[in-house]
Amino acid sequence: MTDILSDEYFMQIAINEAKEAALKGEIPVGAIIVANNQIIAKSHNLTELLHDVTAHAEIQAISSAANFLNAKYLKNCTLFVTLEPCQMCAGALYWSQISKIVCGAEDEKRGYRAMGGKIHPKTTIKFGVLQKECSNLMIEFFNKKRT
């Protein structure tokens, strides 16, 4: 879990991942996973590059963290993600038993809560960390797509 470095510090790294996604033409979502104040996984959306609808930032980060830990559960880990996870990612996070999720922007239309998804009951979740910056990434990305 995180305790020395701030949630804002780690979310900024997730934002950098989201910016990397945008540069590749991907929807700008970035995710990192932290254990013992160390980043053990970081990723961003890769759905376009991999031609894979499941290649969301969270799924990529979960796989990378599990490989790093050589374990299927992510207990005592925190996910920092720039956008509220979708229902698919919430399901994967549920099964990973991750201890904490920190979200930047909420997704009122496609987020797991809007679609009736659930997070593991032992997982804590925090919303709104660098929310404005995370929301602006999405707004700017889609504004450019529409012009």
Side-chain angles (χ1 to χ4, degrees), residues 86-141:
C86 69
Q87 189 170 2
M88 174 186 71
C89 292
L93 290 161
Y94 182 100
W95 291 111
S96 78
Q97 298 182 23
I98 197 156
S99 296
K100 183 176 180 182
I101 301 168
V102 179
C103 297
E106 295 181 40
D107 188 344
E108 295 175 3
K109 293 182 182 177
R110 293 191 175 103
Y112 77 93
R113 295 176 300 168
M115 300 185 84
K118 297 190 186 300
I119 297 292
H120 196 278
K122 292 183 180 177
T123 300
T124 60
I125 188 156
K126 179 178 180 180
F127 288 94
V129 175
L130 299 181
Q131 180 175 1
K132 186 175 183 176
E133 293 90 331
C134 294
S135 294
N136 284 343
L137 282 172
M138 299 297 286
I139 291 165
E140 290 170 14
F141 178 81

Side-chain angles (χ1 to χ4, degrees), residues 10 22 37 46 75 80 83 85 100 107 132:
F10 288 117
N37 245 16
L46 294 170
K75 295 177 181 181
F80 292 84
L83 183 66
K100 183 176 180 182
D107 188 344
K132 186 175 183 176

Side-chain angles (χ1 to χ4, degrees), residues 23-88:
L23 290 174
K24 295 176 180 176
E26 300 278 357
I27 294 175
V29 177
I32 67 166
I33 296 180
V34 175
N36 298 318
N37 245 16
Q38 176 187 358
I39 297 169
I40 62 169
K42 59 183 181 175
S43 191
H44 50 270
N45 275 359
L46 294 170
T47 60
E48 300 298 327
L49 179 71
L50 299 178
H51 306 287
D52 180 354
V53 297
T54 68
H56 289 195
E58 301 94 325
I59 301 293
Q60 301 301 310
I62 290 167
S63 294
S64 182
N67 285 333
F68 179 87
L69 295 172
N70 197 29
K72 67 179 181 177
Y73 297 120
L74 301 180
K75 295 177 181 181
N76 300 314
C77 294
T78 300
L79 168 75
F80 292 84
V81 61
T82 58
L83 183 66
E84 176 182 349
C86 69
Q87 189 170 2
M88 174 186 71

Side-chain angles (χ1 to χ4, degrees), residues 1-13:
M1 303 277 277
T2 58
D3 27 38
I4 297 171
L5 298 173
S6 71
D7 288 350
E8 290 79 10
Y9 170 82
F10 288 117
M11 186 60 74
Q12 188 58 57
I13 296 168

